[in-house]
Amino acid sequence: MNAERCEYLAGNVLIEVIPSISDEKPIHLISGDIGPFEAGVPCRVPMWTAILMKRKHNCKVVVPKWMEVDELKKLLASETENDGLAELPEHFFEISHMLVRNATDDIFEVEAVKSLIQDIYDRRDAKLRTSAIAFLSQNQTCHAQLDCVQLLETSSARATLNACKQVGTLVRNLHETTPM
Amino acid sequence: MSSVDPSFNFDEDYEEAVTPQEVLQKMTTAWQNELCSPCLLPTQMELVDILLDQIAGMEEDIGKQVDQRQLRISVHRMELQRISFITSDYVRCRLRKIESNPNDAIETHNKRRDENKSDLLSEAELQFAREYAAAEAELFDKTVLEFMPPGPLKKVAFPLLDCQEDMVYAKVLGEEAGNVAVPDWKDLTGELVLEMEKSSCHLIPFDSVKEYLEEGTVQLL
């Protein structure tokens, strides 16, 4: 599991687009039905379809509510106040990254959006880093709870799993070689 | 446009029909779990077979369409590429794990059969594991072992896979991820019992969540 595969999964999330073409017949995909499209009428499609249509200039993307500047400021505030991780929409970073890359013209105040998302990412990264170091520095418990962690973050933290395994082996060795 | 029947049985034991959407959903979950787990999980190859049939059917339909430049053709093609990716990646991941220790895979597969649990390997994977193990053994024989003196060296049948200390990130999907046993590092003869609530995420030893993973109550991250 890595960032590219996370982006693949994020592709399945539904998003609203405003098509600029019309098509009476719905598209019957294996994963569900899309459409019919009517120019100017909002329609929900998977992210991957939205990006495809956007690239062919067949639609405008409606940016999700949580990606507006005010909402992002609220998320950043809750991330700052909380000691633990704040709750974020699923595939928060992947979706925002895909939209900034492909639909820049549909995002209002795109520079502010980019910088807020970067701040949120940095806050969370710092929390995960310090807690990983704290966890690896102890040998009392082999369990930790990290609610609201994103798939993208756990994919980047696979090295921690290897390190935990080594600590586990050391604890086992300690136990087995300690005279009762 | 699609002439594919959306309802069919993929297992004689199931009485209700399963939709392609559900199969794709199950495949996505199985793929994510397989990528994130430290060892082989029970096979879900039936899902792969069903999806390959779906892809073949859909490709045939697309090929028959007159106007190949329409948006809908691109959308269909892209979806087929996405499904092909996920099935190939799933199989690639499993083959990589089998290749790293084929004898352990065969041994665990047989043990599960004896305990009446679901199969670890599909027929094709089992065949592959046997052939790979035989090829590897022959390679070692011809390049190294033949030249070694018969001496007092003891032969180890095959290296055992030790997943005991492997940790994973896990998320609880279902309501009842009741009492989960975790080794107590302060006293390795004992165990601690945890309650895992719905939607909570944990950094936890793989062994503790293995059964819940097979049931579907827990998903790996």
Side-chain angles (χ1 to χ4, degrees):
Chain A
M1 182 59 64
N2 54 13
E4 285 165 333
R5 290 177 167 86
C6 292
E7 202 173 281
Y8 171 91
L9 280 171
N12 292 331
V13 173
L14 291 179
I15 192 173
E16 204 161 270
V17 297
I18 303 179
S20 52
I21 49 148
S22 295
D23 197 335
E24 286 169 353
K25 288 184 294 176
I27 308 181
H28 299 290
L29 293 174
I30 295 173
S31 45
D33 290 344
I34 300 182
F37 298 134
E38 199 187 315
V41 174
C43 172
R44 283 175 80 75
V45 298
M47 274 292 289
W48 64 267
T49 317
I51 304 291
L52 182 66
M53 288 172 70
K54 180 75 189 172
R55 289 209 184 133
K56 289 171 173 275
H57 307 288
N58 278 338
C59 75
K60 279 169 73 69
V61 176
V62 174
V63 168
K65 190 106 184 42
W66 52 259
M67 231 175 107
E68 289 168 13
V69 175
D70 294 325
E71 291 297 319
L72 286 177
K73 285 192 178 149
K74 284 192 211 159
L75 284 175
L76 181 59
S78 99
E79 196 69 62
T80 317
E81 286 155 11
N82 240 317
D83 270 341
L85 295 169
E87 189 167 345
L88 291 182
E90 233 188 338
H91 300 294
F92 176 80
F93 296 110
E94 298 92 309
I95 295 179
S96 48
H97 184 77
M98 281 196 269
L99 289 178
V100 162
R101 217 171 53 210
N102 293 294
T104 325
D105 49 333
D106 290 329
I107 306 177
F108 189 59
E109 291 179 328
V110 66
E111 290 305 319
V113 165
K114 284 204 285 196
S115 104
L116 283 165
I117 293 182
Q118 185 70 52
D119 285 341
I120 296 177
Y121 181 82
D122 289 335
R123 294 279 153 102
R124 290 172 71 95
D125 192 46
K127 284 183 200 172
L128 286 168
R129 206 179 290 263
T130 37
S131 61
I133 293 177
F135 184 70
L136 288 170
S137 313
Q138 56 80 34
N139 63 349
Q140 301 300 299
T141 172
C142 63
H143 163 260
Q145 189 158 348
L146 11 65
D147 287 345
C148 304
V149 70
Q150 291 260 319
L151 183 66
L152 190 69
E153 289 157 346
T154 58
S155 314
S156 344
R158 302 217 84 76
T160 321
L161 295 181
N162 269 332
C164 293
K165 178 172 179 170
Q166 294 188 21
V167 177
T169 317
L170 290 172
V171 168
R172 191 162 295 277
N173 287 343
L174 174 67
H175 180 83
E176 278 166 12
T177 54
T178 309
M180 293 299 272
Chain B
M1 169 186 144
S2 163
S3 57
V4 176
D5 183 5
S7 67
F8 55 89
N9 292 323
F10 77 85
D11 190 325
E12 280 148 16
D13 295 341
Y14 286 90
E15 292 195 356
E16 337 98 46
V18 183
T19 64
Q21 287 96 301
E22 285 169 10
V23 174
L24 193 53
Q25 183 57 47
K26 286 195 182 154
M27 179 84 254
T28 311
T29 312
W31 170 72
Q32 190 175 331
N33 285 335
E34 193 75 56
L35 282 179
C36 300
S37 90
C39 62
L40 266 179
L41 297 177
T43 185
Q44 308 264 34
M45 272 311 209
E46 316 90 50
L47 299 177
V48 173
D49 293 330
I50 295 171
L51 286 175
L52 289 180
D53 283 336
Q54 292 278 306
I55 295 178
M58 192 61 97
E59 267 186 4
E60 217 185 292
D61 283 345
I62 300 180
K64 290 191 209 140
Q65 291 303 302
V66 180
D67 182 5
Q68 291 284 327
R69 283 164 304 129
Q70 282 176 11
L71 172 68
R72 51 176 55 236
I73 308 279
S74 313
V75 172
H76 275 288
R77 276 202 202 286
M78 185 156 180
E79 191 197 27
L80 292 186
Q81 285 169 353
R82 284 176 67 86
I83 300 180
S84 297
F85 168 69
I86 203 175
T87 51
S88 312
D89 209 43
Y90 176 74
V91 174
R92 246 197 310 262
C93 180
R94 288 182 66 83
L95 288 183
R96 194 186 63 226
K97 289 183 188 176
I98 294 177
E99 281 182 7
S100 72
N101 196 333
N103 287 311
D104 180 86
I106 298 171
E107 181 88 0
T108 318
H109 174 82
N110 291 332
K111 232 191 279 178
R112 279 183 73 94
R113 275 255 171 100
D114 291 336
E115 293 170 7
N116 260 329
K117 292 192 194 161
S118 65
D119 280 344
L120 183 74
L121 303 171
S122 69
E123 282 305 317
E125 285 171 341
L126 186 59
Q127 171 90 355
F128 172 75
R130 290 195 179 124
E131 287 172 4
Y132 191 84
E136 217 177 34
E138 195 183 330
L139 173 69
F140 288 145
D141 273 339
K142 292 215 169 118
T143 51
V144 179
L145 294 176
E146 267 180 11
F147 306 104
M148 285 174 70
L153 286 176
K154 231 172 46 166
K155 275 199 197 169
V156 176
F158 53 85
L160 290 171
L161 207 62
D162 182 14
C163 274
Q164 227 182 359
E165 274 101 35
D166 270 297
M167 306 265 276
V168 289
Y169 295 106
K171 178 172 179 161
V172 181
L173 299 173
E175 296 285 355
E176 301 109 48
N179 302 321
V180 179
V182 168
D184 181 357
W185 274 2
K186 286 190 269 221
D187 169 20
L188 273 179
T189 50
E191 278 181 344
L192 292 171
V193 174
L194 300 170
E195 287 276 339
M196 305 220 295
E197 295 157 0
K198 183 171 177 181
S199 302
S200 57
C201 302
H202 302 262
L203 174 57
I204 196 171
F206 178 66
D207 271 347
S208 308
V209 292
K210 210 161 44 169
E211 282 135 35
Y212 294 99
L213 190 60
E214 291 187 26
E215 280 170 30
T217 354
V218 149
Q219 159 115 62
L220 295 185
L221 296 176

